[in-house]
Amino acid sequence: MNLRIHSSQKQLKNKGRALKNRMQDKVVLITGAASGVGQAAAQALVDQGARVVVADIDEHNGRETVQRLGEAGLFVRLNIADEYDWEQAVAVTYAHFGHLDAVVNNAGILPTGDIEQTSLQDWRRTLSINADGTFLGCKYAIQALREKGGAIVNLASTAAVAGHPGMCAYSASKGAVAALTRNVAAHCLNHGYRIRCNTIIPGGVRTPMTAAIWSGNDDLSFADNPKSPFCEPLDIANLIVFLVSDESRYINGAEMRVDNAFLVALG
Ligand SMILES: NC(=O)c1ccc[n+]([C@@H]2O[C@H](COP(=O)([O-])OP(=O)(O)OC[C@H]3O[C@@H](n4cnc5c(N)ncnc54)[C@H](O)[C@@H]3O)[C@@H](O)[C@H]2O)c1
């Protein structure tokens, strides 16, 4: 009996230790990691032992982020809508770190406007970044990961599921991200690639993207308000870490909401 307790305590201890370095030896490329969710995910992954490629069009904030990460970080200038940039980003990752284990397709833009206000130009621009960028991210991730396996994490939004009339082009682009994720997961399963592809569906997150809504409004902090429609970037980053880690090895093609029941409460 004592022996059993002793060994289960030991197991728990070892488990705790394993959880501390869940990302040991993993190299993760995160798009949009110069800000918000991507930046928080880069830090959380490095805290767990990963090395990360901070891939962003914003060179200033991207390099500053990498400075904070130290040797575990590498900045790569990447416009996710540009195929040549993807080729270069993957090549630079291999040259610097020697391998790649996961791609987090996080970069995106949030233009507002309902269907009557949205011009064809705005629509195409949004789709070209949010949808085309994720398409290219998945395509190049599969090419890089198919030999050894790995993880792809795509960032969608509750806008992909709920109406959100003021976010016409954004909603459609995130719907494309969610549908593409299912397609990629099924493709990788059929080919036996051991590449998992999952979508995160955040509600509101307090980042620069949504600052116009939450800044100056303390009521929107979840720490103070349990009904807040906004979480912190780390709340999403924690799920990114889990979906990149081997702990989620059998989770594939899933859509995981981080929205404090926003969607289910709509009824
Ligand atoms: N903030 C929210 O409330 C919220 C809610 C749901 C989903 N999301 C999604 O989460 C993801 C991260 O959003 P965030 O809130 O951290 O935004 P953010 O604006 O803080 O960061 C977005 C980052 O993406 C980069 N980026 C934009 N266009 C790019 C391009 N073409 N190529 C490369 N990088 C580009 C920006 O430079 C920036 O660093 C996005 O996909 C967003 O749609 C955010």
Side-chain angles (χ1 to χ4, degrees):
M1 180 70 167
N2 269 348
L3 255 180
R4 227 184 296 149
I5 289 170
H6 180 70
S7 83
S8 76
Q9 271 176 355
K10 211 166 156 188
Q11 270 174 6
L12 207 66
K13 241 185 177 172
N14 286 340
K15 217 170 161 188
R17 216 173 281 141
L19 279 176
K20 264 192 181 160
N21 272 323
R22 297 148 92 190
M23 295 295 137
Q24 202 75 53
D25 300 328
K26 287 206 192 295
V27 175
V28 186
L29 185 152
I30 313 172
T31 68
S35 173
V37 169
Q39 192 177 61
Q43 186 65 62
L45 286 160
V46 167
D47 289 347
Q48 296 284 342
R51 285 166 296 162
V52 300
V53 180
V54 170
D56 207 297
I57 36 166
D58 181 344
E59 291 210 34
H60 176 76
N61 286 321
R63 290 192 190 284
E64 237 177 51
T65 303
V66 162
Q67 238 171 29
R68 280 197 295 275
L69 298 174
E71 280 185 1
L74 171 73
F75 174 74
V76 171
R77 195 200 171 276
L78 167 77
N79 174 2
I80 56 167
D82 186 319
E83 187 156 13
Y84 176 76
D85 278 10
W86 273 104
E87 280 171 23
Q88 292 303 302
V90 173
V92 169
T93 301
Y94 272 86
H96 191 83
F97 288 130
H99 62 108
L100 180 63
D101 301 286
V103 172
V104 181
N105 290 304
N106 162 80
I109 56 167
L110 169 58
T112 50
D114 63 29
I115 179 122
E116 295 186 75
Q117 295 158 337
T118 301
S119 66
L120 183 58
Q121 198 184 9
D122 290 344
W123 167 271
R124 285 187 174 148
R125 181 168 165 269
T126 310
L127 272 284
S128 86
I129 294 173
N130 293 357
D132 295 8
T134 306
F135 161 74
L136 288 172
C138 290
K139 201 174 175 61
Y140 279 83
I142 292 171
Q143 207 177 81
L145 303 176
R146 69 185 158 206
E147 291 297 317
K148 274 183 41 202
I152 303 172
V153 181
N154 294 335
L155 271 289
S157 163
T158 48
V161 185
H164 292 340
M167 300 180 185
C168 170
Y170 181 76
S171 300
S173 71
K174 292 299 185 179
V177 169
L180 177 71
T181 305
R182 295 190 289 271
N183 178 279
V184 168
H187 173 82
C188 292
L189 172 71
N190 288 347
H191 284 76
Y193 284 160
R194 286 193 186 275
I195 300 174
R196 300 174 297 104
C197 186
N198 294 296
T199 309
I200 298 179
I201 307 215
V205 193
R206 292 208 301 173
T207 69
M209 180 178 271
T210 49
I213 312 169
W214 58 260
S215 65
N217 190 345
D218 287 343
D219 274 0
L220 291 179
S221 156
F222 182 59
D224 302 324
N225 173 7
K227 291 186 179 178
S228 171
F230 286 93
C231 66
E232 302 303 326
L234 186 59
D235 291 304
I236 310 297
N238 285 335
L239 182 54
I240 293 175
V241 171
F242 172 67
L243 289 175
V244 166
S245 80
D246 298 336
E247 292 151 34
S248 59
R249 66 176 201 165
Y250 205 62
I251 299 177
N252 193 8
E255 283 173 16
M256 303 186 123
R257 298 173 186 170
V258 187
D259 70 347
N260 195 23
F262 169 78
L263 284 175
V264 291
L266 288 178

